[in-house]
Amino acid sequence: MPPRPAVLTKRTLDKDLDKITHAEDASKHVLRRLVPPGLGLIFVGLAMLFAGVYVFDRPGAMLVIAAAALAGYMAMNIGANDVTNNVGAAVGARAMTMGQALIIAAIFEVLGATIGGGEVVKTISANIVDAVQVPPALLGWIMMAALMAAALWINLATWMNAPVSTTHAIVGAVIGAGISAVGPEPVNWRVMLEITSSWITSPLIGGLIAAGLLYLVKTLIIYRDDKIAAAQRWVPVLVAVMAGGFMAYMVLQLSPTGKFQSFTIILIGIGIGLVSWLAARPLILAQARDLENRNSSLRVLFKLPLIGSAALLSFAHGANDVSNAVGPLSAIVHSVGIGGDAIGHPPLWVMLIGAFGISVGLLLFGPRLIRLVGEEITKLNPMRAYCVALSTAFTVIVASWLGLPVSTTHIAVGSVFGVGFFREWYTRHSKARIAYIRRKAESFDIDEPEEPNIHETRRRYLVRRSHFMTIVAAWIVTVPVSGVLAAMIYWVMFALFI
């Protein structure tokens, strides 16, 4: 008896179509993960073309073009890893969406890098390893090895969700490659001592400033009987302080040296602060209309200053951390006789590669680490996030003004921990908070709890110590790991090319 022919039923057809649909969905999911690396590779290629336009007919052009590719790759890694410092607090506090945060950060990173990045670039490119004591050709290969080592280490850290310091990585890599090439003599150990001391003090300063700001916010606004009236009075003042300080820094950066005296710059900052206060006051009054006298209402009123502080922090990060990518590139450009008037003063096209590379990196890869800094170390609301962002921004701006390549990661995470540890202390010891709870108990005619802060203490007892130890461990190993990796890469380059 011959076999019966197969009959294609509707049910069988639906199953086959479902399988095709699932296969298409799986392929789209795989391809979607390949889009960011592909776009990143395109940017690296564009950086090489961009550099080639300026150096294609000059001696050493191939070395500069290769260095531009490494600088673009390094800048993308900085954007991917360090974006958490800029907008993590604001996203964690739900003051802005991830997309809004990334766009604001990208714009202000470019502005900060191109306007305020020059002094720190000079430190990275010329002051860590004394360019005078190193032959120009050798200096170029030292910086190439440093760029590659730092970029690879930061790429690995980002993949592992560890917010390491990109500044630690490049400084350690420059030292490691320099020592492997010419020994320890050309290393400027005095500058290294200044940089290392700033790494220790800057997160402590950031944490203290953030805790102090939060103390003022709690005392002047949160634990007042009429929170909304207090916020209407003090939030415009906070906006004015932020705007005035930023404008004073901008005048200092953009004006020729010696054009304005310190007193004049302070007066300009005060004037801009007054104008900002006059502009912010009606906006805050309009936002406060019909709001209930509750802590949740303060989230609305702190949204404007929090967005402003996140933008300011992005500017500060661009001004300081662009040096981690373009500092070595600047040294390479000058080692082959191309560029500005002196080493440490890079041409504009070098700064643009670093600035846009940071923005591309944070847009393509940034969201991976935002939740760690913004949500998992300690709970952040807009008030706490504002304190973190503003303290970090001011600390980084002052360091950039002094030419110190501080770690933005250090300061931002130090500020987050400062806020968290202060909350623990304040919950247990604040007389103003206990008095506020007692007044509320009396106004609602309920029995006063024997220890009005006991439940709050249990709920907010700990900053996540596990994250604290993980981050500190990553900071400690970054300098030696990047240094050893840079030395190994330099030895390979020496064997192959030099």
Side-chain angles (χ1 to χ4, degrees):
M1 183 177 179
R4 297 177 60 184
V7 179
L8 186 64
T9 65
K10 184 176 184 301
R11 184 175 181 184
T12 303
L13 180 61
D14 288 342
K15 287 182 177 180
D16 291 339
L17 290 176
D18 287 341
K19 291 178 182 179
I20 295 173
T21 301
H22 291 321
E24 289 178 348
D25 291 340
S27 62
K28 288 179 180 178
H29 179 72
V30 172
L31 291 175
R32 191 180 300 118
R33 298 180 62 181
L34 297 177
V35 169
L39 293 176
L41 190 60
I42 290 173
F43 173 78
V44 170
L46 291 175
M48 296 174 68
L49 290 175
F50 190 54
V53 170
Y54 289 92
V55 303
F56 73 95
D57 59 345
R58 306 290 293 272
M62 294 305 298
L63 180 65
V64 173
I65 292 172
L70 287 176
Y73 174 51
M74 175 68 173
M76 284 194 296
N77 279 291
I78 293 170
N81 197 281
D82 277 7
V83 68
T84 58
N85 314 325
N86 308 345
V87 296
V91 173
R94 295 177 176 82
M96 62 178 78
T97 65
M98 184 75 74
Q100 292 170 340
L102 292 175
I103 291 172
I104 289 174
I107 293 171
F108 282 88
E109 287 277 356
V110 173
L111 293 175
T114 52
I115 293 174
E119 285 300 317
V120 190
V121 169
K122 182 178 180 181
T123 301
I124 294 292
S125 61
N127 292 348
I128 295 177
V129 173
D130 190 353
V132 177
Q133 300 184 44
V134 181
L138 208 56
L139 180 64
W141 289 106
I142 290 172
M143 293 300 175
M144 284 282 288
L147 268 176
M148 183 176 294
L152 289 173
W153 169 244
I154 297 167
N155 202 161
L156 177 63
T158 304
W159 179 72
M160 296 171 61
N161 284 345
V164 299
S165 168
T166 58
T167 307
H168 281 201
I170 194 64
V171 170
V174 169
I175 292 174
I179 291 176
S180 68
V182 292
E185 290 80 11
V187 176
N188 194 330
W189 297 109
R190 183 185 63 80
V191 172
M192 273 307 303
L193 182 62
E194 293 176 358
I195 294 173
T196 306
S197 63
S198 71
W199 288 348
I200 298 171
T201 57
S202 58
L204 296 176
I205 292 172
L208 289 173
I209 294 175
L213 287 171
L214 185 58
Y215 174 78
L216 292 176
V217 169
K218 284 181 176 292
T219 303
L220 298 175
I221 300 176
I222 295 177
Y223 290 121
R224 293 287 180 177
D225 292 331
D226 192 341
K227 305 173 188 292
I228 304 302
Q232 290 173 332
R233 183 182 307 112
W234 289 107
V235 170
V237 174
L238 296 175
V239 172
V241 171
M242 179 172 60
F246 177 62
M247 185 53 63
Y249 169 76
M250 289 292 291
V251 171
L252 194 65
Q253 285 292 111
L254 296 177
S255 61
T257 304
K259 183 176 182 179
F260 295 106
Q261 296 180 353
S262 299
F263 182 71
T264 305
I265 294 174
I266 292 173
L267 287 180
I268 293 173
I270 292 174
I272 295 298
L274 181 59
V275 172
S276 302
W277 178 81
L278 293 173
R281 186 169 172 76
L283 293 176
I284 299 300
L285 291 175
Q287 286 182 328
R289 192 175 295 120
D290 300 326
L291 289 179
E292 297 182 13
N293 188 34
R294 304 176 60 177
N295 282 349
S296 58
S297 299
L298 297 178
R299 297 173 180 267
V300 177
L301 300 181
F302 266 84
K303 185 175 182 179
L304 174 63
L306 180 55
I307 292 174
S309 63
L312 176 57
L313 179 53
S314 296
F315 182 96
H317 176 264
N320 195 279
D321 280 26
V322 70
S323 63
N324 300 339
V326 304
L329 176 59
S330 175
I332 294 168
V333 166
H334 285 279
S335 72
V336 297
I338 305 171
D341 53 353
I343 190 167
H345 295 81
L348 180 60
W349 66 268
V350 170
M351 298 296 293
L352 289 176
I353 288 177
F356 283 100
I358 290 175
S359 295
V360 170
L362 69 89
L363 288 172
L364 294 179
F365 309 106
R368 287 177 59 93
L369 293 178
I370 282 179
R371 291 181 179 86
L372 175 62
V373 173
E375 298 178 6
E376 296 181 12
I377 293 175
T378 190
K379 186 178 179 181
L380 293 176
N381 59 23
M383 290 78 79
R384 300 173 201 143
Y386 169 79
C387 297
V388 168
L390 187 60
S391 65
T392 305
F394 276 166
T395 306
V396 174
I397 281 175
V398 171
S400 300
W401 172 40
L402 297 174
L404 291 174
V406 296
S407 169
T408 312
T409 307
H410 265 189
I411 300 169
V413 176
S415 297
V416 173
F417 278 113
V419 163
F421 288 128
F422 172 77
R423 288 170 57 207
E424 293 185 2
W425 177 88
Y426 194 86
T427 299
R428 293 178 177 84
H429 300 97
S430 171
K431 295 180 180 178
R433 179 179 176 279
I434 295 173
Y436 173 80
I437 293 175
R438 286 173 176 166
R439 289 198 304 272
K440 284 297 181 183
E442 292 171 359
S443 64
F444 287 102
D445 194 23
I446 60 177
D447 293 334
E448 179 187 325
E450 294 181 3
E451 294 185 48
N453 62 338
I454 186 169
H455 301 297
E456 193 74 3
T457 300
R458 288 174 180 169
R459 186 166 68 89
R460 295 183 178 176
Y461 178 62
L462 289 177
V463 175
R464 298 262 178 101
R465 265 66 169 182
S466 59
H467 289 309
F468 178 80
M469 298 308 298
T470 301
I471 291 171
V472 170
W475 289 349
I476 291 173
V477 302
T478 293
V479 171
V481 168
S482 59
V484 170
L485 184 59
M488 295 171 62
I489 291 174
Y490 175 81
W491 290 330
V492 172
M493 288 181 173
F494 183 86
L496 294 176
F497 304 112
I498 303 177

